[in-house]
C-alpha cells in the first residue's frame, strides 16, 4: 500500500488529557500505599486538570505530571520517556503540519451573525506575555497589526471565514488554523 500521502491528525490537547487521566489512575490503583499518603487524590485530579488543558506540548504535560507525582512525597517516583523528538522524521515539509495558530481572543459562536463574534481580545496572555524579551500581543490586536497597516479587531466584530472557509462549517476554528502558525494574515483573509 502506498502511504506516501498519508498523514494523521492528532489533537494534542485531548491526547494530553487522556495521558493525565491514565497517569492519575495508575498512581491511584498501583501506588504502594493504598491510602496514597493521605493525599486527597480526587482533589489532585481537579487541581491539575486545568493546567493540563493549557499544555501546548509534551514537555509541559510532563511538568504537570511531575507536580502531580510530587504531591505524594514519595522517593523514586519519576516521570520520564515520551515522544519528544519531531514526528516529522527530518522531512521539512511536515514541520508545521500539526501546528495550530491561535487568534488570542475569546470568541462566541453566533448563528445570527453567521460567524464567531469577538467577545474579548486580551492585550496579552497573563502567563506568556513575553517571548525572548519581546512583548507578545494577540494576533488580532491593534498592537500586533499596526505595522501591517491593518486595524485590529474589537469586541463585537465577527469572523465569518478563515482562508475562505466558513467558521460555522468547521467543528472548531482550530481546524481552520492548522498549519498557519507564524504566518501573517490579512483581515480580508479571516
Amino acid at each position: 500500500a502506498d502511504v506516501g500521502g498519508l498523514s494523521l491528525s492528532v489533537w494534542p490537547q485531548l491526547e494530553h488529557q487522556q495521558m493525565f487521566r491514565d497517569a492519575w489512575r495508575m498512581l491511584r490503583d498501583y501506588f504502594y500505599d493504598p491510602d496514597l499518603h493521605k493525599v486527597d487524590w480526587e482533589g489532585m485530579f481537579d487541581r491539575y486538570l486545568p493546567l493540563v488543558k493549557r499544555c501546548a506540548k509534551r514537555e509541559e504535560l510532563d511538568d504537570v505530571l511531575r507536580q502531580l507525582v510530587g504531591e505524594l512525597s514519595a522517593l523514586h517516583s519519576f516521570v520520564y520517556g515520551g515522544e519528544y523528538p519531531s514526528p516529522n522524521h527530518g522531512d521539512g515539509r511536515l514541520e508545521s503540519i500539526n501546528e495550530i495558530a491561535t487568534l488570542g481572543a475569546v470568541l462566541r459562536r453566533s448563528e445570527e451573525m453567521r460567524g464567531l463574534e469577538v467577545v474579548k481580545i486580551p492585550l496579552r496572555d497573563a502567563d506568556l506575555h513575553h517571548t525572548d524579551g519581546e512583548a507578545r500581543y494577540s494576533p488580532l490586536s491593534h498592537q500586533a497589526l499596526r505595522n501591517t497597516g491593518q486595524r485590529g479587531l474589537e469586541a463585537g466584530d465577527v469572523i465569518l471565514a478563515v482562508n475562505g472557509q466558513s467558521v460555522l462549517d468547521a467543528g472548531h476554528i482550530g481546524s481552520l488554523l492548522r498549519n498557519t502558525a507564524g504566518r501573517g494574515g490579512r483581515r480580508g483573509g479571516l
Side-chain angles (χ1 to χ4, degrees), residues 42-60:
E42 298 289 331
M44 292 301 105
F45 183 89
D46 296 336
R47 172 190 268 176
Y48 287 103
L49 183 60
L51 294 175
V52 171
K53 290 179 178 180
R54 293 193 66 176
C55 291
K57 50 189 181 173
R58 176 60 195 266
E59 292 88 345
E60 294 171 352

Side-chain angles (χ1 to χ4, degrees), residues 38-130:
K38 306 240 184 275
V39 172
D40 174 11
W41 203 239
E42 298 289 331
M44 292 301 105
F45 183 89
D46 296 336
R47 172 190 268 176
Y48 287 103
L49 183 60
L51 294 175
V52 171
K53 290 179 178 180
R54 293 193 66 176
C55 291
K57 50 189 181 173
R58 176 60 195 266
E59 292 88 345
E60 294 171 352
L61 173 65
D62 280 0
D63 285 342
V64 174
L65 291 174
R66 284 183 189 99
Q67 292 174 39
L68 175 69
V69 171
E71 295 286 351
L72 293 171
S73 298
L75 296 175
H76 306 292
S77 295
F78 306 101
V79 174
Y80 59 90
E83 297 177 8
Y84 298 111
S86 169
N88 304 327
H89 307 290
D91 187 341
R93 296 172 300 151
L94 300 176
E95 283 301 318
S96 62
I97 196 166
N98 283 318
E99 285 188 41
I100 298 174
T102 177
L103 298 179
V106 177
L107 306 172
R108 173 178 40 227
R109 186 178 179 89
S110 173
E111 298 288 339
E112 178 184 329
M113 292 187 248
R114 298 189 326 251
L116 295 175
E117 180 184 5
V118 175
V119 175
K120 179 181 178 184
I121 299 179
L123 182 60
R124 294 183 182 153
D125 184 299
D127 296 323
L128 306 170
H129 63 279
H130 279 87

Side-chain angles (χ1 to χ4, degrees), residues 121 140-143 145-146 150-154 157 187:
I121 299 179
L140 300 179
S141 71
H142 297 298
Q143 292 85 349
L145 293 174
R146 82 173 134 221
Q150 300 178 74
R151 179 183 68 81
L153 296 184
E154 298 174 347
D157 288 344
R187 281 195 58 168

